[in-house]
Amino acid sequence: MRQAALRLCTLSKGLLTPGRGLTQGSQNSEKQRVFHIREVRDKLREIVGVSTDWRDHVKAMEERKLLHSFLAKSQKGLPPRRMKDSYIEVLLPLGSQPELREKYLTVQNTIRFGRILEDLDSLGVLICYMHTKIHSAKMSPLSIVTAQVDKIDLCKTSLGPEHDIKFSGHVSWVGKTSMEVKMKMCQLHGDEFCPVLDATFVMVARDSENKGPAFVNPLIPESPEEEELFRQGELNKGRRVAFTSTSLLKMAPSAEERTTIHEMFLNTLDPKTISFRSRVLPPKAMWMENSKLKSLEVCHPQERNIFNRIFGGFLMRKAYELGWATACNFGGSRPFVIAVDDIMFQKPVEVGSLLFLSSQVCFTQDNYMQVRVHSEVASLQNREHTTTNVFHFTFMSEKEVPLVFPRTYGESMLYLDGQRHFNSMSVPVNLRKDYLVEP
């Protein structure tokens, strides 16, 4: 098992680094040095021109209106960038600076994945600002926000807090107003940083007031490896469009999926009666409705981002922690997250909002659980609820988990949607099963 772990530590999908795929060349000193994790948010505030004082936000937003003149009228008016222009590394020195650990610790003395989601979100934004940097302007006229977490795949199920962590990433694909960012997280083991996860985020650029789209610099691949990475970005865009167009909210299930749902329905009919209404659970099974957990968060100014909305990383952390609790409660043992995918940021969350989170297990297989967390907000003045996000997490339990069965047609659609997300995992399930290790 330990040998399997070491083999997986050699995985490094997609991300290129100087000396490994990224074309070598002149880079400024800021890109050569490694950022400390604490510097990331400070750097973002500097780029956008906001302070840490909540009372200054109105003044800061007014000053950003003056940056409209720096916005490009078309993408052709922007100089092209290379992948190495946006490449940065960030160190989270948990091993060498133990005072940082408490924020990241779980009660099992492992690292909180929710905190990692926050760091990835901030890093993704900073990478995009490196790609779109205007040397003639002190502040960026762009408002760059996370549009979607396309995929996060983990090759380790838990992390110890005794070793340093390094994040790295760069822009891998560019549209007219959107950018795909590839990021990697590694942890130090001996003298080598071994891969822990690979992440793909989609970011969008908006104008200085965050009211409309803005053009971003085109991206020019400089090597066969970079051309392949850019081509993969195009394929990812097509896949996202196709996945959305075949959503069960728009199209009926396939014939195979309809058969699956009907067989599950037949398996829950009471053999003692001849009635469609009499339903009983098979052995080692649970109704989907009984897997639900809910939570409520008051969105305070402390959790705001640089544009005075609630930080997307905070939303991901809260959704993940509720999803983890749901998987733990359902499976009866400690779950491990192995994949995150298709988190769409549909609507920004305003400071002062009430954030309602609802989580449930919607698909299971062997010792795997697909958990869906639905997020919606309501203002203190308006009781109307609006969906802001839907989160999808894949967990692995230490033992086999109950089967989950839908009762209603709506729950049947949730089951099929969960099955689709589960089947979309990049790394085969049997490979992940062999890698249940504790660092």
Side-chain angles (χ1 to χ4, degrees):
M1 183 177 291
R2 192 64 184 174
Q3 289 179 344
L6 292 174
R7 286 197 300 272
L8 271 177
C9 259
T10 64
L11 289 177
S12 183
K13 301 176 298 178
L15 183 71
L16 302 180
T17 60
R20 183 190 166 272
L22 282 184
T23 303
Q24 296 295 298
S26 61
Q27 300 182 47
N28 63 40
S29 59
E30 184 173 65
K31 289 174 185 172
Q32 287 179 327
R33 76 181 183 90
V34 178
F35 287 93
H36 190 284
I37 193 67
R38 287 174 174 168
E39 295 179 278
V40 174
R41 295 294 288 273
D42 292 339
K43 186 65 179 176
L44 288 173
R45 293 188 188 98
E46 177 187 328
I47 292 171
V48 176
V50 297
S51 74
T52 57
D53 194 332
W54 162 251
R55 295 168 296 183
D56 294 339
H57 74 277
V58 175
K59 177 183 176 182
M61 291 301 109
E62 285 296 320
E63 291 177 349
R64 284 192 59 77
K65 292 181 181 180
L66 304 176
L67 298 173
H68 268 282
S69 60
F70 289 97
L71 293 171
K73 304 300 181 183
S74 70
Q75 193 177 44
K76 293 181 180 179
L78 293 169
R81 297 283 194 254
R82 301 161 296 179
M83 291 188 187
K84 68 182 179 183
D85 292 330
S86 61
Y87 179 82
I88 58 176
E89 295 182 352
V90 175
L91 186 66
L92 173 57
L94 297 180
S96 52
Q97 296 181 18
E99 65 273 14
L100 296 176
R101 292 180 189 171
E102 185 169 333
K103 175 182 175 182
Y104 289 85
L105 275 181
T106 70
V107 69
Q108 292 90 8
N109 198 42
T110 58
I111 293 176
R112 295 171 62 182
F113 183 66
R115 292 296 189 191
I116 299 301
L117 290 175
E118 291 182 326
D119 292 339
L120 287 172
D121 194 40
S122 295
L123 176 60
V125 175
L126 182 58
I127 288 170
C128 289
Y129 274 120
M130 293 298 181
H131 175 82
T132 59
K133 187 174 183 178
I134 300 176
H135 297 285
S136 60
K138 182 180 178 181
M139 296 187 299
S140 173
L142 299 178
S143 301
I144 296 175
V145 296
T146 306
Q148 184 176 9
V149 178
D150 184 63
K151 180 74 69 174
I152 302 176
D153 287 315
L154 290 93
C155 63
K156 291 200 70 173
T157 53
S158 61
L159 299 170
E162 298 85 10
H163 306 286
D164 289 356
I165 286 174
K166 183 173 69 175
F167 300 94
S168 57
H170 61 81
V171 172
S172 56
W173 174 87
V174 165
K176 289 186 177 181
T177 63
S178 61
M179 294 162 280
E180 181 186 89
V181 177
K182 293 282 189 185
M183 292 175 284
K184 180 172 71 174
M185 172 180 158
C186 299
Q187 188 165 36
L188 187 64
H189 289 279
D191 297 328
E192 183 181 358
F193 278 98
C194 295
V196 172
L197 66 79
D198 292 284
T200 304
F201 281 42
V202 179
M203 324 298 285
V204 294
R206 298 177 65 79
D207 61 30
S208 53
E209 296 181 76
N210 200 8
K211 291 183 177 180
F215 294 105
V216 298
N217 302 68
L219 181 66
I220 297 181
E222 294 188 298
S223 68
E225 292 88 351
E226 292 185 13
E227 289 174 358
E228 173 59 26
L229 202 54
F230 192 89
R231 187 187 70 85
Q232 186 61 49
E234 289 281 2
L235 294 176
N236 289 341
K237 178 186 176 182
R239 173 180 52 78
R240 289 190 290 268
V241 172
F243 198 87
T244 301
S245 64
T246 58
S247 166
L248 292 167
L249 292 171
K250 298 179 180 180
M251 293 185 63
S254 67
E256 182 180 357
E257 289 174 331
R258 291 195 297 269
T259 299
T260 297
I261 292 302
H262 189 66
E263 289 177 350
M264 295 184 74
F265 173 74
L266 295 178
N267 286 336
T268 62
L269 293 181
D270 189 346
K272 298 178 182 179
T273 64
I274 307 176
S275 171
F276 289 130
R277 293 185 177 182
S278 183
R279 308 280 297 278
V280 292
L281 276 172
K284 298 181 181 179
M286 182 183 295
W287 293 118
M288 185 182 292
E289 63 186 13
N290 295 332
S291 70
K292 283 185 179 180
L293 288 181
K294 296 184 177 183
S295 70
L296 168 66
E297 298 289 338
V298 181
C299 298
H300 295 290
Q302 181 186 10
E303 308 302 342
R304 72 190 187 282
N305 63 15
I306 52 179
F307 303 114
N308 238 34
R309 265 63 181 268
I310 294 302
F311 175 41
F314 169 78
L315 301 176
M316 286 194 284
R317 174 167 64 87
K318 287 299 180 180
Y320 165 75
E321 289 173 351
L322 180 62
W324 184 91
T326 302
C328 183
N329 187 57
F330 181 88
S333 64
R334 180 185 172 196
F336 302 87
V337 63
I338 59 171
V340 182
D341 77 310
D342 195 30
I343 299 176
M344 184 76 73
F345 289 82
Q346 301 176 19
K347 181 181 172 61
V349 177
E350 302 293 340
V351 174
S353 299
L354 298 178
L355 177 67
F356 296 86
L357 296 170
S358 177
S359 174
Q360 64 187 124
V361 177
C362 54
F363 177 80
T364 60
Q365 179 177 304
D366 300 326
N367 58 333
Y368 296 91
M369 294 167 281
Q370 191 67 37
V371 177
R372 180 182 188 270
V373 182
H374 181 264
S375 165
E376 57 186 23
V377 296
S379 67
L380 297 177
Q381 296 77 27
N382 185 356
R383 294 185 179 181
E384 183 179 349
H385 289 215
T386 304
T387 297
T388 60
N389 306 83
V390 178
F391 305 85
H392 301 276
F393 303 104
T394 307
F395 290 97
M396 179 171 63
S397 179
E398 294 173 320
K399 60 183 181 181
E400 190 168 335
V401 300
L403 296 172
V404 64
F405 275 81
R407 271 186 187 270
T408 65
Y409 186 80
E411 288 183 347
S412 297
M413 296 304 100
L414 288 178
Y415 180 90
L416 293 178
D417 187 57
Q419 185 181 55
R420 289 181 178 184
H421 281 95
F422 180 79
N423 290 335
S424 72
M425 282 195 301
S426 298
V427 179
V429 172
N430 59 353
L431 180 64
R432 295 186 182 280
K433 262 182 117 172
D434 293 336
Y435 194 42
L436 181 58
V437 297
E438 290 286 339

